[in-house]
Amino acid sequence: MSSPRLSSVIASLVILSLSIVAPPPRAEAARAFFVFGDSLVDSGNNNYLVTIARADSPPYGIDYPSHRPTGRFSNGLNLPDLISESIGSEPALPYLNPELTGEKLLIGANFASAGIGILNDTGVQFLTIIRMFQQFANFQVYQARLSALIGAEPAQQLVNEALVLMTLGGNDFVNNYFLTPITPRRRQFSIEAFSDYLISEYRNILRRLYDLGARRVLVTGTGPLGCVPAELASQGSRNGECAPEPQRAANIFNPALVQMLRGLNQEIGSDVFIIANAFQMNMDFINNPQQFGFITSKVACCGQGPYNGLGVCTTLSNLCPDRSVYAFWDPFHPTERANRIIVRQILTGSTDYMSPMNLSTIMALDSKI
């Protein structure tokens, strides 16, 4: 008969052996994150394409942790990076990145491609880009790879529970309709009719995304298209006033997008699509840059010509020494700091910015399900 002391020692050894053999359960992973859209959210897919729509050379990435260009159209982090921070996740890798394998698939994937639009004829001047139908085809291949990794049902659950970001529409105006003074689409449509056409096509895209399993989708409207440095320069703005025609287009398109998304949610019977009022988020610091700590919301940090709004950002461009005081990084894209202001509104903004709810509310609701 063993002594109490010996029994205690044996019990301790058993517990120790169990702790060595059976590792502690892993903490629950952050929800997966999928990204679709254009250069505002492309994290490097275009690096792998034969295209002129790319951000893979300095000074892009000058403020990224590696201080190297990554394919993000930013001086540092972009919208998807900052949203990933907000939901406690690693940034989703570009779909074309060969490192997107194994457990990295569980984080999600970024399918976005600079230069694309709602329409397939948007961005033809950029050569090879990943249009929406191909982004969705890639999403289906991703889901098959995920199923092979963790099984079909867990893969479906991961997709259904994921957060999705969709950013489209700006290029259909600035790189299609308004690309030159006379374009095929301008001959075909008035601004109002073109906006209606875009909304109709966008609805089909979002419905397809739902059919592919997305159940929480942040949809950003366009920014103030007439106020980006590229438009100020090309339209010959004298005092920094926004270009009227692109600005009018944004004022027509964005309210129509809100109505379309509301109708789609009603049809589905759930708040699947969440509208982020990117127009107002940008106009806040465009109208009052000093309130947000910017010295200018008219001049791009990197570029050339009036407002640094002509051409593309290269090593030969003018480059501001302090990116944190500029709202625009290049002729079209916000700085990392401006993106942080936008993501703060996505996270906690009122219904003036996020409808029907902000991201913090989404996260709280979904954690209870």
Side-chain angles (χ1 to χ4, degrees), residues 54-91:
R54 54 200 309 129
D56 60 345
S57 59
Y60 283 97
I62 189 171
D63 299 309
Y64 192 76
S66 66
H67 304 293
R68 292 182 171 184
T70 61
R72 291 164 171 82
F73 286 75
S74 172
N75 60 301
L77 303 179
N78 65 4
L79 281 176
D81 295 324
L82 300 171
I83 291 174
S84 291
E85 274 186 12
S86 300
I87 65 174
S89 176
E90 294 179 42

Side-chain angles (χ1 to χ4, degrees), residues 14-268:
V14 169
I15 291 169
L16 179 62
S17 66
L18 286 173
S19 68
I20 293 171
V21 173
R26 290 171 58 190
E28 185 180 352
R31 75 195 297 176
F33 185 34
F34 300 112
V35 182
F36 300 89
D38 57 27
S39 61
L40 290 167
V41 294
D42 183 356
S43 294
N45 279 309
N46 278 27
N47 285 0
Y48 302 92
L49 305 176
V50 178
T51 179
I52 59 173
R54 54 200 309 129
D56 60 345
S57 59
Y60 283 97
I62 189 171
D63 299 309
Y64 192 76
S66 66
H67 304 293
R68 292 182 171 184
T70 61
R72 291 164 171 82
F73 286 75
S74 172
N75 60 301
L77 303 179
N78 65 4
L79 281 176
D81 295 324
L82 300 171
I83 291 174
S84 291
E85 274 186 12
S86 300
I87 65 174
S89 176
E90 294 179 42
L93 288 172
Y95 174 75
L96 295 181
N97 188 323
E99 294 179 14
L100 185 65
T101 59
E103 292 209 347
K104 291 287 187 184
L105 293 168
L106 304 179
I107 297 168
N110 186 316
F111 300 90
S113 176
I116 73 141
I118 295 167
L119 305 180
N120 286 333
D121 64 301
T122 291
V124 292
Q125 67 272 31
F126 299 127
L127 306 178
T128 308
I129 49 180
I130 311 171
R131 304 183 190 286
M132 278 314 306
F133 70 88
Q134 187 60 54
Q135 289 189 29
F136 286 164
N138 291 345
F139 187 34
Q140 288 178 283
V141 174
Y142 162 88
Q143 291 191 44
R145 292 171 61 197
L146 185 66
S147 293
L149 179 71
I150 62 175
E153 284 192 22
Q156 187 65 52
Q157 183 179 359
L158 182 145
V159 170
N160 290 158
E161 294 178 354
L163 183 69
V164 181
L165 175 65
M166 173 68 80
T167 297
L168 282 176
N171 281 330
D172 294 286
F173 288 105
V174 300
N175 280 313
N176 189 335
Y177 192 86
F178 292 116
L179 182 61
T180 58
I182 300 173
T183 61
R185 290 300 190 183
R186 287 180 93 158
R187 286 200 192 99
Q188 184 180 11
F189 293 109
S190 66
I191 292 177
E192 292 83 358
F194 187 63
S195 178
D196 289 344
Y197 178 49
L198 290 179
I199 293 294
S200 174
E201 293 298 306
Y202 205 176
R203 189 184 192 282
N204 294 336
I205 287 170
L206 294 173
R207 183 72 212 201
R208 175 64 178 148
L209 182 58
Y210 177 81
D211 291 342
L212 290 172
R215 295 295 180 267
R216 282 292 192 200
V217 185
L218 300 176
V219 181
T220 66
T222 75
L225 302 175
C227 302
V228 298
E231 291 300 321
L232 300 186
S234 66
Q235 300 291 325
S237 176
R238 293 186 177 183
N239 300 307
E241 65 276 8
C242 300
E245 288 283 272
Q247 195 71 345
R248 186 164 78 88
N251 276 313
I252 292 169
F253 176 83
N254 287 305
L257 177 62
V258 172
Q259 292 304 313
M260 181 267 280
L261 292 176
R262 286 176 179 165
L264 203 49
N265 283 339
Q266 287 176 354
E267 180 182 303
I268 293 167

